[in-house]
């Protein structure tokens, strides 16, 4: 269940970050509201996750998956460029999360 809560936190944060892109510096109401609500949900779910999961593990997964997801969304839907450096960076972020989790962050 803890991984479901963490996944919900990550999804909410990714939604909030994507909406922030469309908020035009918080000058557009709907994307700005989506950003605020999404981040509130993300932090509430992350706080629930931290009741039973080590902070290092939770944050490594949160940061790694969130970063990779936002980069993929930027490429797939927002028209950001795909470069070798960007692809290597995404792979390294994911590898870092895996290594941290295999290393037994507790």
């Amino acid at each position: 269940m803890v991984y479901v809560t963490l996944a919900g936190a990550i999804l909410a944060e990714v939604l909030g970050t994507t909406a922030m892109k469309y908020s035009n510096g918080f000058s557009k109401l709907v994307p700005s509201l989506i950003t605020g609500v999404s981040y509130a949900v993300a932090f509430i779910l992350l706080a629930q996750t931290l009741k039973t999961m080590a902070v290092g593990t939770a944050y490594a997964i949160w940061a790694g998956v969130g970063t990779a997801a936002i980069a993929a969304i930027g490429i797939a839907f927002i028209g950001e460029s795909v470069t070798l450096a960007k692809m290597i960076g995404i792979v390294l972020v994911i590898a870092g999360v895996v290594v941290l989790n295999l290393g037994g962050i507790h």
Side-chain angles (χ1 to χ4, degrees), residues 7-8 15 27-28 32 34 37 52-53 56 59-60 64 67 72 76 90 97-98:
L15 175 62
S27 66
K28 293 183 179 178
S32 297
I34 293 170
V37 170
T52 56
M53 182 182 282
Y59 202 78
T67 300
I90 292 169
V97 170
V98 170

Side-chain angles (χ1 to χ4, degrees), residues 15-32:
L15 175 62
T17 301
T18 303
M20 190 184 307
K21 169 68 176 169
Y22 292 104
S23 74
N24 195 32
F26 295 115
S27 66
K28 293 183 179 178
L29 180 62
V30 173
S32 297

Side-chain angles (χ1 to χ4, degrees), residues 11-101:
L11 288 173
E13 188 267 336
V14 168
L15 175 62
T17 301
T18 303
M20 190 184 307
K21 169 68 176 169
Y22 292 104
S23 74
N24 195 32
F26 295 115
S27 66
K28 293 183 179 178
L29 180 62
V30 173
S32 297
L33 291 174
I34 293 170
T35 299
V37 170
S38 296
Y39 271 99
V41 169
F43 284 117
I44 289 167
L45 291 174
L46 182 60
Q48 294 305 308
T49 299
L50 294 177
K51 287 181 176 180
T52 56
M53 182 182 282
V55 69
T57 301
Y59 202 78
I61 295 169
W62 161 287
V65 173
T67 300
I70 288 298
I73 288 168
I75 291 167
F77 300 108
I78 302 175
E80 294 180 0
S81 64
V82 180
T83 65
L84 180 60
K86 191 176 285 188
M87 293 288 89
I88 290 170
I90 292 169
V91 169
L92 288 172
V93 166
I94 293 168
V97 170
V98 170
V99 169
L100 285 170
N101 282 295

